[in-house]
Amino acid sequence: MELTTLLKEKFGYDEFRPGQTEIIQKILDHQNVLGIMPTGGGKSVCYQLPALVLEGLTLVISPLISLMKDQVDALNEMGIPAAFINSSLTMPEINDRLRLAVDGKIKLLYVAPERLESYDFQQLLRHVPIELLAVDEAHCISQWGHDFRPSYLKLADIIQQFDQQPSIVALTATATPQVAEDILQRLLIPKENQVTTGFARENLAFQVVKEQKDTYLLEYLRVNQNQAGIVYASTRKEVERLYHLLKSKNISVGKYHGGMGEQERSKNQEDFLFDRIQVMVATNAFGMGINKSNVRFVIHAQVPGNLESYYQEAGRAGRDGLPSEAILLFAPHDLQIQQFFIDQSEMAIDYKQNEYLKLREMSQYAHSQMCLQRYILRYFGEDGPDCGRCSNCLDDREVIDITIEAQKVLSCVKRMGERFGKSLIGKVLTGSKDQKISQWHFDELPTYGLMKDWSQKEVTQLIDYLTASGFLTPTEGQFPLLKIAPTGIEVLLGKRTVTRKQAPVRTIVKDDALFEELRALRSELAQEQNMPPYVIFSDKTLQELVEKQPQTTLEFLQIKGVGQSKLEKYGAAFLEILKK
């Protein structure tokens, strides 16, 4: 049967997605192949369709029990005979399924990588002609991947011992060039058989939000109340806190983390899949292989440990191709949680160093002013144009020249011997009286106190920006030291300029019509409530309202001095004037 006909008949799609035909053709020609496709790019079809064409069994290695069950249910629903074997089954159930495989009654058998290590299972494979071995979530093979699993590493050795040599297809959504190289090597896939369809997701709008996380989250969910979405947190404790916070505001919400019973987790997952609840608050244990296509937003309430995890989790939004949002609520202290996870892991020292580097890249993503989609693509070794949709592309603040300020920072790093981290550099620049500074005689440097009219926080943010922009390079390890990058040297020599987006500093003249109108509204509200006008909003807040002219409640929340209760009390009245 023609492949397109089979695709339409069994899977209901009219045409193949990018990369699918190429991967399927290589499999049918009995070649080993690696497919790197974005989440929602149709990886499963790449082995499920050939499984129908090939004579023997397709063995699928899959890391999660819930993922296997979902996929097998979906295949059986389509009339494709499939089964899974994992620890949730009894011995008689396992034997029944193995018998079906031996008798050729099923086309696809899903197993966890650990299953291949069992002697009994290896014996069984001698009686079943396996024609295709599909390795799902193949990045788990690489110790440089974001979800390395030792059982996947053994997989490569076990496959070599098979009596029969099936074709191998490895699939992943998130592989950096280093990880891809690792997969090719371990699974003996020729370099020319790597099919990468590009990492860009045309329908995803990325955003980084740095203010008042809880307030922003509640307002976002209020504005998008009929949409399905996932809110990720790093710890079970934070999942519980957010769940109770949302529940208290009558939001239709469920929770999912490793500390819950299997039954409760399954029920909540099902409620989310069947649209019985709108929002799922979860740790990253939730979502792998979740085939819910109408997830409109994924919000990370805490920073994940690396960009691969972030992109994979964010990619669960908009699998149906409709416009969706991926929002990172960023707070610097959340990085410490991830740092703690790395410290506590029992991995080798070079693995830990690599994880610290990845965490730093995640932090730089939050501080970068380049297109966020492009930043992610660059991380995966790909370049492309600006997306025009992310918060950085839509940021229309004025671009100002900060070359002199950048030179002050870079000069200070140089004079301190490029042997210190950002907090001490910031203290020297702001003229801090810290004991360490006098101990090292840094108070005698010409750069000491050079930016004393800046706050420590402002200088640290500038250092983060210069690092994210590639003018400073952090060393490896838990406490990175900053060194000057080649582009930073060009800045010091006056051969390159540095710019940054910043709200224009405008003093608002008294007769500014909009300012006066907002002030009049403030007076009116103050009289009604019998309180001083500044209690409602300060002049500084009114000035910022005039400068930024927010048009939505979410934009209104980004103004300093606006919290949830003030938004609820006064937002509508002020927005009415601003919209005019």
Side-chain angles (χ1 to χ4, degrees), residues 104 126 412 571:
R126 302 202 153 153
C412 191

Side-chain angles (χ1 to χ4, degrees), residues 155-394:
L155 188 70
D157 302 331
I158 293 167
I159 295 168
Q160 304 313 319
Q161 295 160 20
F162 276 17
D163 291 353
Q164 43 197 322
Q165 284 300 312
S167 313
I168 295 170
V169 57
L171 295 157
T172 175
T174 47
T176 58
Q178 187 185 21
V179 170
E181 186 57 45
D182 226 5
I183 299 170
L184 293 174
Q185 230 174 350
R186 291 187 188 284
L187 295 177
L188 306 180
I189 299 170
K191 178 84 181 120
E192 63 274 15
N193 280 9
Q194 176 179 326
V195 179
T196 306
T197 61
F199 288 91
R201 285 282 303 276
E202 300 305 330
N203 62 321
L204 272 194
F206 289 89
Q207 198 177 341
V208 176
V209 174
K210 293 180 180 169
E211 306 295 324
Q212 332 185 35
K213 299 205 302 189
D214 282 6
T215 315
Y216 183 90
L217 179 63
L218 289 170
E219 185 56 23
Y220 184 90
L221 295 178
R222 190 189 69 73
V223 173
N224 295 280
Q225 56 189 321
N226 296 320
Q227 306 290 4
I230 305 171
V231 177
Y232 280 111
S234 304
T235 63
R236 296 171 183 184
K237 189 177 169 186
E238 184 65 358
V239 168
E240 288 290 343
R241 187 187 75 77
L242 288 171
Y243 168 75
H244 290 295
L245 172 70
L246 302 190
K247 195 96 178 134
S248 72
K249 302 288 181 193
N250 298 318
I251 290 164
S252 163
V253 63
K255 60 177 177 174
Y256 190 105
H257 61 70
M260 294 160 56
E262 178 63 44
Q263 219 172 345
E264 190 186 0
R265 276 208 309 257
S266 298
K267 182 194 179 301
N268 288 0
Q269 178 164 317
E270 204 162 285
D271 284 348
F272 182 64
L273 290 177
F274 287 94
D275 289 339
R276 292 193 284 264
I277 54 176
Q278 228 61 70
V279 180
M280 180 67 93
V281 183
T283 57
N284 63 2
F286 176 76
M288 245 177 154
I290 287 291
N291 238 335
K292 185 176 168 71
S293 63
N294 65 334
V295 173
R296 285 281 75 84
F297 60 86
V298 169
I299 296 176
H300 280 78
Q302 290 176 301
V303 182
N306 50 63
L307 266 171
E308 292 108 303
S309 301
Y310 179 65
Y311 199 46
Q312 188 174 39
E313 288 156 19
R316 288 173 189 144
R319 293 177 68 136
D320 53 9
L322 294 177
S324 304
E325 295 188 289
I327 300 168
L328 172 64
L329 306 183
F330 180 81
H333 60 77
D334 287 342
L335 294 166
Q336 290 161 7
I337 297 169
Q338 295 298 341
Q339 193 132 358
F340 174 77
F341 289 158
I342 302 170
D343 297 346
Q344 297 304 305
S345 74
E346 290 172 6
M347 293 296 186
I349 193 76
D350 59 343
Y351 178 82
K352 283 190 178 183
Q353 300 287 30
N354 192 51
E355 291 301 295
Y356 290 129
L357 270 178
K358 287 184 174 189
L359 181 57
R360 202 153 319 125
E361 191 79 46
M362 193 67 235
S363 165
Q364 286 172 24
Y365 167 80
H367 289 107
S368 174
Q369 286 188 351
M370 77 184 278
C371 163
L372 294 172
Q373 171 96 57
R374 209 171 125 207
Y375 189 98
I376 294 170
L377 294 187
R378 204 181 58 173
Y379 179 76
F380 287 116
E382 195 183 303
D383 203 14
D386 287 358
C387 72
R389 296 178 302 276
C390 72
S391 50
N392 283 356
C393 284
L394 298 174

Side-chain angles (χ1 to χ4, degrees), residues 517-532:
E517 211 176 328
L518 295 178
R519 218 162 70 150
L521 171 62
R522 181 180 66 177
S523 299
E524 199 182 304
L525 291 167
Q527 270 175 340
E528 277 172 23
Q529 302 190 35
N530 196 17
M531 57 168 69

Side-chain angles (χ1 to χ4, degrees), residues 8-62:
K8 177 71 181 156
E9 201 176 280
K10 288 292 186 188
F11 298 91
Y13 300 124
D14 291 321
E15 52 186 34
F16 284 102
R17 291 194 185 178
Q20 286 180 331
T21 318
E22 200 183 335
I23 292 172
I24 290 169
Q25 209 45 69
K26 286 188 191 303
I27 291 171
L28 296 177
D29 292 343
H30 302 288
Q31 296 179 36
N32 291 353
V33 57
L34 164 63
I36 302 175
M37 308 163 97
T39 304
K43 290 187 290 295
S44 316
V45 169
C46 293
Y47 60 82
Q48 289 171 350
L49 193 141
L52 296 175
V53 179
L54 297 168
E55 286 291 308
L57 179 74
T58 292
L59 190 64
V60 185
I61 310 298
S62 176

